[in-house]
């Protein structure tokens, strides 16, 4: 600043002779240049992320100053008088200035596509063509011809400014103080260069006048920019990336149009050849830009398409469905509701397991074409994953949706031809609508999911979600949440129910039945806990807890009574390949033999993955753990399973045993089942024995063991210990 002030005193008439003059123009004038250059160089050290920019800026100022001095020394005056050394220096100075500004801008742009450089080239060539053709045309041709170097500086300035403004507007550069000051410096150079050009052409330029102050102001701007920079450039925060809008193509478009205008205007006329070549270059760059754009856009479209499509079925995927559903739900009104059908194939796992994944995939691929004719325009069928599909109906009330779900259900019930085999799979469909009861997509999915789950467990095919605040699904959701805490807080326990031998009444086993000491609801039974646990995916940790409690209990009486405990398994446990190891570890930790544990499973639990189930059961039996087939007579395909299922015990369901006292047909079934079980080496337990009459009849029919209220109700472990120690009469007195 001091240098600028001192120099300002000399811009008027100067006292003193030629030596003074030289001193002013050579030394005083250049003090600010060198000082600013030094400031920029120092900033490069404190702002490492922009070091390149500040070094380039310093180079520009210092080399520019050297060029000036060289010109004065060589030609005796500053200005535009040609001088090879000076011209070379100025060229370097401009090059460095470009580098500096580009680096500064680059650091402030959120996302930079390589094609944007091409945009810059197109814009620059177009602007140069216009400049060369229309503004400078008269100077480049004919009589008033000036040197290219003279025109080059103001042209370079204008270009730089145009780029700064163009790139800033188009890419959304974060215009911070540093960039504004650096841009200001260029703007001042630009005005000064243009004035110099005009004056030199009119031959009215004199050295050391007030015009020089403009350059010095630019130099000051650059110095302040360096001084005040935070060194921490930040891209604009509001948008995460470049949006595809017309703004993006504005610069290349304007450049191309300008180039064409130059070519058209100059056609057959006297166009400076520089302008012509610049325009042609611009059009070529624009063509290259188009090619790059094509590649970018097509790859973008592919990525977008792939991200929204399910690979296997080529149907829209979950993401695509959610996206569409969002706008559909937003547009839905009570007068014109939207609906979602959530589909889950029944028995798909069996297809996968028995015929292989190839067949499973083939089956999934056929779902889309099968359902396509049933869809109307605007409706979306998507695969959510696995064997789960969804149909979005943008305009359907609950009744319509249920009707459509029925159609879908019937279509999928038709056999599929896979690998030359006719396959029957069913489907369970949950239906829900928006905006009532679900007012957003997540809620809509959740409601449809709850309904689908109901359809699956009740085997009804289609289930419509009807909100019921007091019970039902809302309660199950709450239960699921509470169950997680219950597992951690040790609120789960087992009650124990004895099993006695029909002949002499000795206790042969004890079944552990899950109980939840709910802090508010009191004692909660498995009927409420198990469905919630299954839906929440908590069956494995739940069984872990039950196993722990049950083995803790049996450890208390094993030495005195030698009575084993029976624990119930669910499908999720039977499919758990880690179960045998966990069981062995739990037994060993308590010093219990494997004979202290019996595991009960319902036939249905094996249906999901029979291969795996058999592996797990086989391993458990090798450990020495007994297995028991529970609820026998309620499932289906019982006989086939008995043949292949390794087990030690068969438990006859209460529905088969309760009427034996006065129904001969029921008795016949029991008698033959007993015979079958004994032939297969299984002992037979009659469940739900409520009275002595029934017990006696069951004993006559050959049942080995009785379990039921007639013996004892399930009870806490303390009560059972007392019960075991007490004297009892046999259930069925031997005559
Ligand atoms: P289950 O395995 O058939 O268990 C016997 C059920 O019958 C028990 O119901 C028991 O309280 C009840 N019961 C016993 N004697 C009689 C009787 O004389 N008359 C009648 N009407 N009922 C009797 P609970 O405790 O409600 O258990 C229901 C089902 O929940 C069990 O049926 C079992 O399948 C399942 N379960 C219980 N605990 C667990 C467990 O820890 N894990 C798993 N996965 N399932 C369990
Ligand atoms: Ca059981
Ligand atoms: Ca049972």
């Amino acid at each position: 600043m001091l240098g600028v002030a001192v120099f300002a005193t000399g811009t008027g008439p100067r006292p003193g002779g030629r030596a003074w003059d030289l001193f002013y123009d050579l030394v005083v004038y250049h003090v600010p240049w060198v000082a600013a250059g030094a400031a920029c160089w120092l900033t490069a050290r404190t702002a490492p992320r922009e070091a390149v920019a500040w070094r380039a800026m310093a180079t520009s100022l210092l080399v520019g100053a050297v060029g000036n001095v060289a010109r004065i020394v060589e030609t005796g005056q500053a200005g535009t008088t040609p001088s090879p050394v000076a011209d070379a220096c100025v060229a370097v100075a401009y090059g460095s200035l470009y580098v500096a500004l580009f680096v500064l801008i680059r650091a402030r742009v959120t996302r930079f596509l390589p094609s944007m450089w091409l945009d810059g080239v197109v814009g620059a060539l177009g602007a140069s063509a216009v400049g060369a053709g229309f503004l400078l045309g008269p100077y480049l041709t004919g009589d008033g011809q000036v040197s290219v170097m003279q025109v080059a500086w103001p042209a370079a300035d204008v270009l730089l400014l145009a780029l700064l403004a163009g790139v800033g507007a188009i890419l959304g550069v974060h215009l911070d103080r540093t960039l504004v000051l650096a841009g200001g410096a260029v703007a001042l150079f630009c005005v000064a260069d243009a004035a110099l050009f005009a004056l030199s052409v009119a031959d009215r330029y004199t050295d050391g006048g007030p015009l020089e102050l403009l350059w010095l102001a630019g130099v000051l701007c650059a110095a302040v920019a360096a001084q005040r920079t935070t060194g921490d450039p930040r891209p604009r925060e509001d948008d995460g990336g470049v949006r595809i809008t017309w703004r993006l193509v504005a610069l290349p478009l304007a450049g191309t149009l300008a180039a064409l205008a130059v070519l058209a205007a100059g056609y057959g006329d006297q166009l400076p050849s520089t302008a012509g070549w610049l325009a042609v270059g611009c059009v070529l760059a624009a063509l290259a830009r188009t090619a790059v754009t094509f590649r970018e856009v097509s790859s973008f479209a592919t990525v977008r398409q792939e991200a929204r499509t399910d690979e296997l079925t080529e149907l829209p995927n979950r993401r695509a469905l959610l996206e569409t559903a969002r706008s559909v739900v937003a547009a839905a009104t009570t007068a014109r509701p939207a609906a979602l059908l959530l589909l889950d194939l029944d028995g798909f796992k069996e297809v996968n397991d028995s015929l292989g994944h190839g067949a499973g995939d083939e089956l999934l691929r056929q779902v889309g074409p099968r359902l396509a004719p049933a869809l109307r325009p605007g409706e979306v069928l998507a695969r959510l994953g696995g064997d789960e599909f969804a149909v979005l109906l943008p305009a359907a009330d609950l009744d319509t949706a249920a009707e459509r779900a029925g159609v879908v259900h019937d279509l999928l019930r038709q056999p599929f031809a896979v690998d030359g085999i006719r396959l029957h799979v069913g489907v369970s469909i949950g239906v829900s609508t928006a905006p009532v009861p679900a007012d957003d997509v997540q809620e809509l999915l959740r409601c449809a999911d709850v309904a689908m789950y109901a359809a699956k467990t009740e085997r009804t095919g289609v289930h419509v979600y009807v909100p019921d605040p007091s019970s039902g699904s809302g309660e199950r959701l709450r239960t699921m949440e509470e169950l997680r805490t219950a597992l951690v807080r040790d609120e789960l326990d087992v009650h124990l129910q004895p099993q006695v031998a029909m002949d002499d009444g000795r206790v042969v086993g004890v079944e552990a039945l899950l109980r939840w000491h709910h802090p508010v609801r009191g004692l909660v039974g498995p009927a409420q806990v198990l469905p919630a646990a299954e839906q929440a995916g908590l069956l494995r940790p739940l069984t872990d807890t039950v196993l722990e409690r049950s083995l803790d209990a049996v450890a208390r009486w094993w030495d005195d009574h030698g009575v084993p405990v029976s624990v119930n398994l669910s499908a999720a446990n039977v499919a758990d390949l880690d179960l045998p190891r966990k069981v062995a570890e739990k037994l060993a930790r308590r010093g219990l033999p494997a004979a202290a544990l019996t595991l009960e499973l319902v036939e249905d639990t094996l249906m999901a993955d029979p291969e795996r189930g058999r592996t797990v059961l086989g391993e458990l039996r090798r450990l020495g753990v007994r297995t028991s087939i529970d609820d026998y007579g309620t499932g289906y395909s019982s006989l086939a399973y008995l043949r292949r299922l390794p087990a030690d015990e068969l438990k006859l369901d209460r529905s088969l045993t309760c009427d034996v006292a006065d129904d001969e047909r029921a008795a016949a079934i029991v008698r033959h089942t007993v015979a079958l079980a004994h032939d297969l080496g299984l002992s037979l337990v009659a469940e739900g024995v409520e009275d002595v009459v029934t017990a006696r009849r069951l004993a006559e029919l050959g049942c080995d063991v009785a379990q039921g209220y007639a013996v004892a109700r399930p009870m806490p472990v303390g009560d059972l210990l007392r019960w075991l120690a007490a004297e009892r009469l046999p259930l069925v007195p031997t005559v």
Side-chain angles (χ1 to χ4, degrees):
M1 277 189 180
L2 205 65
V4 174
V6 172
F7 182 78
T9 64
T11 52
R14 293 179 188 161
R18 171 98 186 117
W20 261 119
D21 246 19
L22 268 181
F23 179 69
Y24 260 104
D25 292 336
L26 273 181
V27 181
V28 178
Y29 177 71
H30 288 108
V31 165
W33 288 77
V34 174
C40 290
W41 197 265
L42 287 178
T43 301
R45 296 168 134 206
T46 54
R49 291 182 53 197
E50 294 180 330
V52 175
W54 294 115
R55 289 221 178 88
M57 186 74 95
T59 310
S60 174
L61 291 167
L62 296 173
V63 173
V66 171
N68 252 332
V69 172
R71 197 183 305 279
I72 295 172
V73 170
E74 203 177 328
T75 67
Q77 61 160 338
T80 56
T81 329
S83 140
V85 178
D87 287 344
C89 285
V90 172
V92 170
Y94 269 105
S96 316
L97 195 57
Y98 268 79
V99 170
L101 272 181
F102 268 120
V103 175
L104 287 180
I105 290 176
R106 178 70 188 82
R108 287 161 179 78
V109 175
T110 324
R111 212 179 80 196
F112 213 88
L113 297 176
S115 58
M116 289 170 184
W117 290 116
L118 259 179
D119 287 348
V121 172
V122 175
L125 287 173
S128 317
V130 170
F134 298 137
L135 307 176
L136 305 172
Y139 302 111
L140 293 174
T141 50
D143 301 335
Q145 197 164 5
V146 297
S147 87
V148 174
M149 278 314 287
Q150 276 180 307
V151 194
W153 306 351
D157 289 327
V158 172
L159 251 181
L160 197 49
L161 272 183
L163 270 183
L164 186 61
V167 170
I170 290 158
L171 296 185
V173 174
H174 177 63
L175 263 187
D176 58 6
R177 195 171 46 202
T178 312
L179 208 54
V180 169
L181 284 169
V186 178
L188 287 165
F189 290 152
C190 176
V191 175
D193 282 342
L196 170 65
F197 175 72
L199 289 175
S200 333
V201 167
D203 230 352
R204 284 175 40 213
Y205 173 74
T206 46
D207 232 355
L211 181 57
E212 318 287 359
L213 284 176
L214 266 182
W215 276 287
L216 288 183
V219 167
L220 261 185
C221 251
V224 176
Q227 193 72 48
R228 304 290 305 273
T229 187
T230 56
D232 182 22
R234 233 170 257 143
R236 199 155 68 178
E237 271 153 18
D238 54 2
D239 52 350
V242 176
R243 289 202 211 96
I244 305 297
T245 64
W246 276 104
R247 287 202 312 173
L248 266 186
V249 288
L251 187 67
L253 206 62
T256 321
L257 285 177
L260 287 176
V262 169
L263 287 175
Y267 185 75
D269 211 14
Q270 213 190 15
L271 181 77
S273 59
T274 328
W277 286 118
L278 284 171
V280 169
C282 175
V283 173
L284 287 178
L287 284 178
R289 182 14 166 153
T290 314
V292 171
T293 306
F294 179 77
R295 251 212 9 245
E296 279 176 1
V297 167
S298 64
S299 72
F300 181 72
T302 320
V303 166
R304 196 176 147 85
Q305 189 59 30
E306 277 167 2
R308 296 169 46 88
T309 308
D310 174 60
E311 219 178 311
L312 178 67
T313 60
E314 286 173 10
L315 293 171
N317 62 10
R318 176 181 283 269
R319 176 180 300 143
L321 180 90
L322 288 180
E323 251 175 55
T324 318
R326 250 189 289 280
S327 53
V328 164
V329 169
T333 59
T334 33
R336 197 173 173 282
L340 183 80
L341 317 182
L342 198 69
L343 284 61
D344 193 287
L345 300 184
D346 300 332
F348 175 70
K349 220 170 155 10
E350 281 85 328
V351 173
N352 242 352
D353 291 341
S354 46
L355 298 179
H357 286 275
D361 288 354
E362 179 52 35
L363 177 63
L364 292 176
R365 267 195 289 269
Q366 290 185 24
V367 171
R370 170 75 57 92
L371 295 185
L375 298 179
R376 297 174 194 163
E379 299 178 346
V380 182
L381 167 67
R383 176 174 175 229
L384 301 185
D387 58 348
E388 224 180 63
F389 294 82
V391 180
L392 182 69
L393 307 173
D397 58 20
L398 207 55
D399 291 340
T400 319
E403 197 187 307
R404 301 289 304 280
V407 172
V408 168
H409 182 253
D410 292 346
L411 278 174
L412 290 179
R413 278 252 300 258
Q414 308 298 317
F416 288 88
V418 174
D419 290 351
I421 302 174
R422 276 159 61 89
L423 286 179
H424 289 267
V425 293
V427 62
S428 297
I429 306 181
V431 182
S432 185
T433 47
V436 181
D439 61 356
D440 64 33
V441 175
Q442 287 311 325
E443 183 70 5
L444 184 64
L445 266 175
R446 192 190 65 74
C447 294
D449 193 54
V450 169
M452 191 275 288
Y453 187 77
K456 192 137 269 201
T457 48
E458 291 155 21
R459 297 177 191 265
T460 49
V462 176
H463 188 102
V464 171
Y465 181 86
V466 185
D468 180 356
S470 64
S471 71
S473 55
E475 176 161 40
R476 179 178 306 144
L477 274 185
R478 185 150 41 83
T479 309
M480 278 161 60
E481 274 319 304
E482 290 174 345
L483 201 53
R484 280 180 222 282
T485 30
L487 277 166
V488 190
R489 286 204 208 134
D490 242 8
E491 290 168 11
L492 297 181
D493 197 4
V494 290
H495 278 192
L496 304 151
Q497 187 177 34
Q499 305 166 334
V500 296
M502 290 282 192
D503 47 8
D504 57 4
R506 85 202 123 82
V507 185
V508 294
V510 162
E511 179 171 7
L513 296 159
L514 175 69
R515 296 293 181 268
W516 178 8
H517 296 284
H518 191 280
V520 182
R521 285 192 269 164
L523 203 61
V524 177
Q528 276 110 63
V529 181
L530 292 174
E534 177 173 8
Q535 214 180 356
L538 292 174
L539 276 177
R540 286 187 190 179
L542 182 123
T543 302
D544 270 346
T545 309
V546 171
L547 270 171
E548 292 283 335
R549 295 283 153 280
S550 309
L551 292 177
D552 281 346
V554 76
R556 292 174 67 176
W557 71 67
W558 181 256
D559 287 341
D560 296 334
H561 303 284
V563 172
V565 71
S566 298
V567 171
N568 294 284
L569 295 183
S570 350
N573 307 123
V574 183
D576 182 1
L577 290 172
D578 204 27
L579 182 70
R581 187 195 59 77
K582 280 193 284 194
V583 166
E585 183 268 329
K586 287 183 208 299
L587 285 167
R589 191 148 30 90
R590 291 169 179 83
L592 288 170
L597 180 65
T598 303
L599 292 173
E600 295 188 5
L601 58 135
V602 182
E603 315 155 63
D604 289 8
T605 56
L606 271 183
M607 299 270 284
D609 193 343
E611 229 9 86
R612 194 180 242 217
R614 259 198 296 279
T615 311
V616 173
L617 285 186
E619 258 178 73
L620 285 167
R621 281 166 56 91
R622 257 194 300 286
L623 282 177
V625 173
R626 278 164 37 96
T627 55
S628 165
I629 299 172
D630 202 358
D631 294 353
Y632 185 80
T634 57
Y636 42 93
S637 70
S638 310
L639 293 174
Y641 268 98
L642 275 186
R643 195 164 73 88
R644 293 192 290 163
L645 190 68
D648 305 280
E649 175 184 282
L650 199 63
K651 295 184 83 173
L652 269 191
D653 191 66
R654 197 180 117 76
S655 57
L656 283 184
T657 60
C658 59
D659 294 329
V660 286
D662 31 45
D663 181 344
E664 243 336 283
R665 295 175 68 86
I669 292 176
V670 170
R671 190 182 304 117
H672 288 285
T673 310
V674 168
L676 176 66
H678 286 166
D679 275 357
L680 292 171
L682 306 170
S683 89
L684 205 126
V685 181
E687 287 191 309
V689 183
E690 292 188 350
D691 52 73
V692 180
V693 181
T694 309
R696 187 167 298 148
R697 184 80 182 105
L698 285 166
E700 284 167 18
L701 291 170
C703 290
D704 306 296
V705 176
Q707 177 183 350
Y709 298 163
V711 181
R713 293 194 172 245
M715 58 190 113
V717 59
D719 294 1
L720 184 85
L721 283 170
R722 278 187 288 281
W723 189 90
L724 283 175
E727 288 274 331
R728 282 182 312 278
L729 288 177
L731 178 65
V732 185
T734 30
V735 207

